Amino acid sequence: MAAIPYSSLPLQFLFFLLLSGSFLQTRTLSTDQTVKTFIFRIDSQSKPSIFPTHYHWYSSEFASPVQILHTYDTVFHGFSATLSPDQAASLSRHPSVLAVIEDQRRQLHTTRSPQFLGLRNQQGLWSESDYGSDVIIGVFDTGIWPERRSFSDLNIGSIPSKWKGVCQVGVKFTAKNCNKKIIGARFFSKGHEAAGGSAGPIGGGINETVEFMSPRDADGHGTHTASTAAGRHAFRASMEGYAAGVAKGVAPKARLAVYKVCWKNAGCFDSDILAAFDAAVNDGVDVISISIGGGDGISSPYYLDPIAIGSYGAASRGVFVSSSAGNDGPNGMSVTNLAPWIVTVGAGTIDRNFPAEVRLGDGRRLSGVSLYAGAPLSEKMYPLIYPGKSGVLSASLCMENSLDPNLVRGKIVICDRGSSPRVAKGLVVKKAGGVGMILANGISNGEGLVGDAHLLPACALGSDEGDAVKAYISSTANPTATIDFKGTILGIKPAPVVASFSARGPNALNPEILKPDLIAPGVNILAAWTEAVGPTGLDSDLRKTEFNILSGTSMACPHVSGAAALLKSAHPDWSPAAIRSAMMTTASIVDNSNQPMTDEATGNASTPYDFGAGHVNLDRAMDPGLVYDITNDDYVNFLCANGYGPKLIQVITRIPARCPAKRPRPENLNYPSIAALFSTQSRGVSSKSFIRTVTNVGQPNAVYTVKVVSPEKGVTVTVKPSRLVFTEGVKKSSFVVTVTADSKNLVLNDSGAAFGSISWSDGKHEVRSPLVVTQLDPL
């Protein structure tokens, strides 16, 4: 991230540069004038009374000679526009301009899982919430394929009266494509078009030969996430025979409002995402599901992050926002979407797998996974080749045009994972005449595997098995192999396991706030799919399937969105923070073997840096006993604790804020987890205290006692009082947690942390909060 040194500006000129490698494309108007898109945060209270609306003011005061794209007036006050950096600098000097943010490109973080969340037919949360029928989920993604059976409105009641949205028509999308299930649909393309995205023959950044200028989904990702959150359950489904069962989303009767902000092969722009937040809150959604974020674990400050800003505007109005943690695991500090008012979701496995087996010529059998559904190899042995043996990196990765057909034809080819889509490597092998592919993980992916609907017989292997195959080739004169496909296997143990790709903590902006918050099913998830592309998403894949199986934190996020819809329906008076607390404090930290959850990348025990509070367990979340609630004022104090002044806080909150005379501490935000951060420079014994307040949402008269699990060595934890008494008149109670660390005896793990927990129990409920102790100085 960098800043333009406009030394004469009255306020720092704030903006983004993409560090992930995909820099914003720009349009050039002349040899020395480059046009970009900027988002302008305006002090709305400065509007002269002569103008009837902010739009009229912006158009008159700021528009010439720039082109206004979006105006924002709900979660954010301001507008986005295309102009040169010099023009942006000039406008930023206007006394009403609080900040300027350069538009950034975001990326998508690409049905048995409801049962795995603890949902049961005819009882529990599904029954108590009527399957979420009165709740509206806004899905920010690539649109929707409305004809899928998952979006039928059969036997669904009338549209909730609070709904104020529209069904925006466009290419191959009419008003009839909305119904009592898909109650609204919009698309946002102005930011993308202004950036000149992946320009097609129509121009303006949208390639209309592969895209729809409408809410219709040309990519598949949006259809998949929408049906995961709220797909109907009334019919049997599978992906070419895999994962056969009854299709169901987490909140089957919840209503869907679709906000298409991402475009095929082009990503999603902040200016469009912010416009979607503005519209969704105005429309009346209850939950926003956004499987979008930055890459490479890069996170901008909250006042420079339109997703954080838009989410605050939504959460402050009672809208629950669920986001994906990112897919840059197992690297530490890779988690994105870090704002504490956003629920950040990592990915875990479920108890279903799609095993395949590589059988080598020496008789060894190596276990992997695959979703290949074509003609099998029928146990016939084929010659085996590893193009990477030559030392050419592109050949080892099976990149386009890297394989010699004379060497590959009629053989099974080993391809290393990385640099190109997994399924694309198989297509390269197939074009070169190969009969099959073994996709080998590198050390960075470890043993983490996901299934793919390959176009030729193919099997993914973990790093150890991949190395074994390569060693076999090197030690054998005529290596051979075949691949056997085992179909769908249920009852896999252990599960859940933290997915190797799931982004990990600690939180790069505020280590005092544990992120991710929790994990949910995100590996090999079956959900509805677009008719526009085949299951691999490759242009050459002409197969059509109603359902597809995908993996990613993109798939985990809508599970929590649907869960929030159910909890909101069962408890309409709960705030977004209370709903998050209910999920976090009841989350499970053990697998279906009743052992601590493990990390798929290493096979070792996982930690709260991997799974947050644990894996969602909705059977318990419906009745959590106590919740940690957070008000808008609490969030303002948190921003004050981060050193933000009134103007920067106003960029996020829309209204001026005053910070207390004594600067608050960020770790005292009433979060359902505790992170004790000690300086790496500290010597001897150090202590920190944390204040938390719980609200009783269970039986009015209840007594809770505390149970502390301290990290093993060098840390002591005390809680006062150790007993909380609630009555009809006493619904809230506060306590202080004191964490004392002895630097001489402190034992930390490889991530530089030690872990414990604090639990409150009344004999029926157990309200558990993870505790993290670390020596990581604030960034």
Side-chain angles (χ1 to χ4, degrees), residues 140-224:
F140 291 16
D141 216 294
T142 63
I144 197 164
W145 198 267
E147 291 83 6
R148 291 306 188 209
R149 290 180 291 171
S150 295
F151 309 124
S152 165
D153 64 355
L154 183 66
N155 296 326
I156 291 184
S158 58
I159 294 173
S161 59
K162 63 186 175 185
W163 176 245
K164 300 174 184 176
V166 300
C167 188
Q168 185 179 0
V169 301
V171 177
K172 295 189 177 179
F173 200 96
T174 71
K176 293 182 179 179
N177 289 125
C178 293
N179 55 21
K180 290 184 292 184
K181 179 68 174 178
I182 305 172
I183 62 173
R186 297 179 186 264
F187 64 100
F188 301 84
S189 62
K190 291 178 180 178
H192 176 32
E193 292 178 273
S198 45
I202 305 301
I206 302 294
N207 185 344
E208 295 192 37
T209 63
V210 297
E211 253 294 4
F212 304 103
M213 283 295 291
S214 75
R216 185 168 289 277
D217 182 11
D219 179 87
H221 193 278
T223 301
H224 199 278

Side-chain angles (χ1 to χ4, degrees), residues 672-691:
S673 57
I674 294 175
L677 181 62
F678 293 96
S679 171
T680 55
Q681 307 302 315
S682 63
R683 296 291 182 267
V685 178
S686 303
S687 293
K688 282 205 168 184
S689 295
F690 307 82
I691 301 171

Side-chain angles (χ1 to χ4, degrees), residues 17 36 69 93 255 263 274 295 361 427 445 466 503 526 570 600 754:
L17 280 179
K36 300 181 179 180
L69 301 178
R93 296 185 181 98
R255 316 310 173 101
W263 298 83
L274 195 54
L427 181 60
N445 298 115
L526 178 77
E600 186 181 44

Side-chain angles (χ1 to χ4, degrees), residues 118-129 131 619 622:
L119 292 170
R120 295 168 290 170
N121 285 321
Q122 309 304 323
Q123 57 181 308
L125 187 53
W126 260 348
S127 177
E128 291 288 330
S129 65
Y131 301 87
D619 192 37
M622 179 180 65

Side-chain angles (χ1 to χ4, degrees), residues 24-27 35-39 67-70 72 80-82 103-105 187-198 204-206 260-261 263 266-275:
L24 183 68
Q25 298 185 45
T26 60
R27 291 190 290 118
V35 172
K36 300 181 179 180
T37 298
F38 295 87
I39 301 169
Q67 174 192 356
I68 289 182
L69 301 178
H70 298 292
Y72 313 106
S80 58
T82 54
D103 210 5
Q104 181 184 13
R105 186 198 306 271
F187 64 100
F188 301 84
S189 62
K190 291 178 180 178
H192 176 32
E193 292 178 273
S198 45
I206 302 294
K260 182 175 178 178
V261 296
W263 298 83
C268 339
F269 280 85
D270 280 336
S271 56
D272 294 331
I273 294 171
L274 195 54

